[in-house]
Amino acid sequence: MPLQINTIRGQIGIRTQNASQSIRNFQGEQKIETTMPKVKIKSEKPRVIIDQYQCFAEAGLKNNADLTKDMVEYAKMKHKQMIDTIVADGNRMANIKNGTPPAIPEIAEKNARGPEKQFRFGPMPSSRPKIEVEGSLDISWEMGKVNISYTPRKPQITYNPGKVEVYLKQKPSIDIQYVDTKR
């Protein structure tokens, strides 16, 4: 039996569309506010006070009130010493009757010589001056401030998904025919 078979193969078609994505970024908004720090400096100029009065007084250079006061004290002391000397000399002369040597030549010799002189060597002046420093420095400050605020912005994203489309481009077919060979 003669058969004739004709086949047509099926064909598949593929159509694609690529995916696409776009991203747009926007800058966020930032604000910075500052307050400057403040420094306050309050100063009183320094003054050096030097008191040399004691040094000058030791050298004999005194003011009138102190000099008068010292002279009064010295006069009182000398007055008391003189009274003590007169009393001692009078008592010495009163002892003549006890058989002691004559007192008048002894007293005259003592008064003729005078007091012994004394010398003192040392630094002049012997005390130091008083030194004071007055003045001040006051520093105060206020801290500064920084305020930062930031507002983010979201990106804008657009996405188109891709597609893959499969379709039948040509249908398959089979054609079977009987062929008569007798002809």
Side-chain angles (χ1 to χ4, degrees):
M1 164 162 49
L3 287 177
Q4 183 179 1
I5 301 174
N6 289 328
T7 60
I8 298 175
R9 292 185 185 171
Q11 289 184 350
I12 296 176
I14 299 175
R15 214 176 298 151
T16 61
Q17 180 181 354
N18 290 335
S20 66
Q21 175 178 335
S22 67
I23 300 175
R24 290 179 63 198
N25 283 325
F26 300 100
Q27 287 189 347
E29 188 174 323
Q30 177 175 328
K31 291 181 184 176
I32 300 175
E33 295 176 5
T34 58
T35 303
M36 298 300 286
K38 295 178 185 174
V39 176
K40 295 178 186 176
I41 299 174
K42 183 179 178 183
S43 66
E44 180 183 328
K45 290 186 179 180
R47 265 187 4 222
V48 178
I49 300 169
I50 302 173
D51 183 7
Q52 294 180 318
Y53 181 77
Q54 184 64 32
C55 301
F56 286 125
E58 290 173 5
L61 303 171
K62 298 180 180 180
N63 64 27
N64 291 337
D66 288 342
L67 184 60
T68 303
K69 183 179 170 185
D70 287 351
M71 294 309 262
V72 167
E73 291 297 320
Y74 181 74
K76 285 180 182 178
M77 179 190 72
K78 283 297 190 182
H79 182 259
K80 185 177 182 273
Q81 284 177 355
M82 193 54 148
I83 291 174
D84 290 344
T85 304
I86 291 172
V87 169
D89 289 346
N91 287 340
R92 173 73 175 97
M93 287 200 280
N95 283 337
I96 291 178
K97 55 184 167 180
N98 293 342
T100 57
I104 293 178
E106 193 180 299
I107 293 171
E109 185 181 338
K110 180 181 74 166
N111 288 341
R113 275 188 266 139
E116 287 186 29
K117 300 289 182 188
Q118 293 181 357
F119 294 100
R120 189 178 93 189
F121 293 98
M124 192 60 131
S126 60
S127 62
R128 304 179 101 183
K130 296 176 186 173
I131 299 174
E132 294 180 23
V133 178
E134 294 178 352
S136 65
L137 178 64
D138 182 29
I139 300 174
S140 62
W141 63 85
E142 293 178 18
M143 298 295 287
K145 295 178 183 176
V146 177
N147 292 327
I148 300 174
S149 63
Y150 180 73
T151 306
R153 295 207 177 153
K154 294 181 180 180
Q156 186 178 38
I157 301 172
T158 306
Y159 177 73
N160 294 320
K163 292 181 185 177
V164 176
E165 199 176 303
V166 179
Y167 62 95
L168 189 58
K169 190 174 181 181
Q170 184 175 351
K171 291 183 179 182
S173 64
I174 297 177
D175 186 26
I176 302 173
Q177 292 181 354
Y178 174 74
V179 177
D180 192 14
T181 55
K182 294 186 183 174
R183 288 203 221 173

